[in-house]
Amino acid sequence: MKSAGYFAFAACCALALPLSTHAAATGAVAFQLGDLPRIVNLSEPQISPDGKRIAVIVSTPDWKTDKSQQELDLVDVASGTRRALTWKREDISTPRWSPDGTRLAFLAKDADTKEDQLFVMPMDGGDALRVTGIKHGVDAYSWSPDGSQLAFVSADEAANAKAIKEHDDAFQVTDNHFLTRAALTPWHLWLVPSAGGTAKRLTEGSYSLQTDQQDDAPVPAWSRDGRSIAFVRFPGPYWGPSFHSVIDAVDTGGGQPRTLVAAEGSANVMYAPDSDNFAFMRPRDGDQNNGNAVYVSVNGDIRDATQALARNFNGYAWLPRGKGLLLAGEDGTHAVLWEQPLSGAAKKLDLGEVEAGAEVSVSKTGALAFVGATTTHPGELYVMDSVRAKPRRLTNLNAFVDHLALGRTESIEWQGPDGFHEDGALTYPVGYRRGQTYPLVLVIHGGPEAASTVKFSPLPQLLAAQGFVVFQPNYRGSTNLGDAYQHAIFRDTGVGPGKDVMAGVDAVQKLGIVDAQRIGVTGWSYGGYMTTWLTGHYPIWKAAVSGAALTDWVMDYTISYYQTGDLYFFGDSPWTAKDHDIWREQSPIAYAKNVTAPTLIMGDVGDPNVPLVNSYEWYHALRDNGVPVEFYAYPVDTHFPKDIVRTTDVYRRWVGWMTQHLK
């Protein structure tokens, strides 16, 4: 494995695409494939209660092992000094300070149980203590207000574990996806002393505190007196019906849970500091086609604190003393933060040129920590002394990028169809010269509940280094232009978004920088769906890259993990007479006979999100109609390869296909 990885890296460097003549003319080297393993990723920043230190996870790709080398680092806010707290640990996640700031907890893979367990580290010196040894590991946890206990979430043992071991293992198909190999068990809530000891179970039943496809388990929230814990209650362990989640609470002494919030779709509950008030996220007005709103319960009265903004938020945090909220989300092509009082208008924070990540940590002093990026620099750790201060960068782990020639990235806006004012991110070729025209490549975001912003992104820069104009359009369904725009994808998943993208292409062409005879379209996931839709409806494309594309809505609904998630796009099942036709009409596979653009197809074999069957359909439809097409599958069980070797290979093929057919 290590040897193969080494030679794969050498081959990658040898096959690296040639630097464009424009980049060469500048004298600086452009961003290229060999730079991908050099990008250091920072995540989950957690500022100490006193605001003086920040714990952050630092992940560095290792080409030889094809893994990311992780460490949990401690950064001094005043000086920026950084030191490692862990050594040779795997699967590090979820660092959390004890309420008094004397200890730091985190999750990491345990050598004995081979599962992610909970560790607690004293901050005055000493080794981390493993405080759980539960069979199926820990998915989420939180400190009690007095720091004496930790509440955590873990999956149950199968009731028929002995029978399964003896191959009596048939399972009932319900809300699972077609790649499921065993029935899931629910996740439940436990308590353990923070100094180590016997864990105590708090909840049980067929409901679950986690699902199989959540990125992160919802964190249990302690009441300020430590007598009860609020949690997100899903109908079961499968993601399909997860939209029916509610918020319950259970006493730490035991007993049956009680419902705090009965409105379905509620999640991400957090109590305000030193208060009985709490907040939670829910699609605005319960409509899954709206953005995520932040609701607050103040003295028992629940209301949408973000109603006036009427847009999607990716995350939130309480500000000191519970007087307001800090909100994270996209505003146009920028990733921003807002200060939202419990009553009154929200105010956008002045971040200058920094694009803020959604993970924001707030200290008791009001200092903020987050990972931010700019148009020309990948993510670094930032701190703000208050919501009124300017961001200050504490790390420079990706300094090498500052010495490269990059394509300039800026926002572009246009008037779209149906009265929508739309936007996207535009990256110019490295060494761009006014008056010249260049081939254009679209990179369409997935989701569709996502957004393209102007922050540094490797793929657009790899394309810009080869002399392409790169356009990342936001289309209806995107989360950056308010609920009306996001909601407009309802029962219009292809036609409307397609018109939005084409209006954006017209706006880019009006700048006079595009060679209209050399335009390509690409995307992954819903971006792949848009790619297949556009190539089946518009004849302008000279090349396409379709990654993990949804091509057949009916099949996708039937075998993917999200199932009922698709229902919200159309209103009802494709297997009903009333709505059968719209599911077919919005499926790109119905228009495959119209495609002429040479197409590269890629995807992961074990993808439960957009099953690779979609891509097999598209491949055979294009091949049988004489369209030049190639199809590459990666033998992993993800929606996009997570390792550096495969990720680099995806980008190599992606950029190479555009270079082959547009230049």
Side-chain angles (χ1 to χ4, degrees), residues 204-218:
E204 60 183 332
S206 60
Y207 66 91
S208 183
L209 277 69
Q210 165 68 315
T211 74
D212 60 332
Q213 300 295 332
Q214 299 290 129
D215 290 334
D216 300 295

Side-chain angles (χ1 to χ4, degrees), residues 293-314:
V294 182
Y295 288 79
V296 293
S297 174
V298 179
N299 299 323
D301 177 36
I302 295 178
R303 60 183 178 81
D304 178 2
T306 58
Q307 182 66 55
L309 288 173
R311 63 185 317 111
N312 178 76
F313 300 98
N314 297 324

Side-chain angles (χ1 to χ4, degrees), residues 47-122:
I47 194 165
S48 61
D50 62 8
K52 295 181 178 180
R53 297 171 293 177
I54 301 170
V56 64
I57 298 171
V58 177
S59 302
T60 305
D62 185 328
W63 190 276
K64 291 183 179 181
T65 63
D66 197 22
K67 294 181 179 180
S68 284
Q69 303 300 320
Q70 285 187 309
E71 63 183 40
L72 180 58
D73 284 3
L74 189 67
V75 181
D76 180 75
V77 169
S79 65
T81 302
R82 179 173 61 93
R83 66 180 178 91
L85 296 174
T86 58
W87 185 69
K88 289 191 175 180
R89 288 194 183 273
E90 298 181 359
D91 295 339
I92 301 172
S93 70
T94 327
R96 294 293 184 270
W97 293 90
S98 63
D100 63 2
T102 62
R103 291 170 292 170
L104 186 68
F106 60 92
L107 299 179
K109 187 175 182 179
D110 174 55
D112 295 330
T113 65
K114 310 302 181 185
E115 297 286 345
D116 288 352
Q117 302 291 354
L118 182 52
F119 294 81
V120 175
M121 176 183 293

Side-chain angles (χ1 to χ4, degrees), residues 20 406-407 427-431 459-470:
S20 72
L406 300 176
T427 301
Y428 289 79
V430 173
L459 179 57
Q461 289 297 338
L462 289 171
L463 288 162
Q466 299 309 310
F468 294 111
V469 175
V470 186

Side-chain angles (χ1 to χ4, degrees), residues 410-431:
E410 61 188 26
S411 299
I412 181 171
E413 300 180 3
W414 64 91
Q415 188 60 40
D418 303 320
F420 290 119
H421 188 74
E422 301 172 336
D423 65 14
L426 188 67
T427 301
Y428 289 79
V430 173

Side-chain angles (χ1 to χ4, degrees), residues 529 532 549-559 566 583-584 586-590 610 613-615 617-618:
Y529 167 86
T532 55
L550 187 162
T551 63
D552 185 338
W553 276 114
V554 179
M555 179 192 65
D556 200 71
Y557 162 78
T558 306
I559 67 175
D566 282 349
W583 288 73
R584 293 295 186 189
Q586 302 279 336
S587 295
I589 197 67
V610 181
V613 183
N614 284 272
S615 292
E617 279 196 351
W618 196 247

Side-chain angles (χ1 to χ4, degrees), residues 544-587:
V545 174
S546 166
L550 187 162
T551 63
D552 185 338
W553 276 114
V554 179
M555 179 192 65
D556 200 71
Y557 162 78
T558 306
I559 67 175
S560 68
Y561 76 71
Y562 36 82
Q563 300 174 2
T564 54
D566 282 349
L567 294 179
Y568 292 104
F569 288 133
F570 297 106
D572 206 347
S573 167
W575 301 115
T576 62
K578 177 173 68 73
D579 283 304
H580 176 271
D581 289 349
I582 191 173
W583 288 73
R584 293 295 186 189
E585 292 165 357
Q586 302 279 336
S587 295

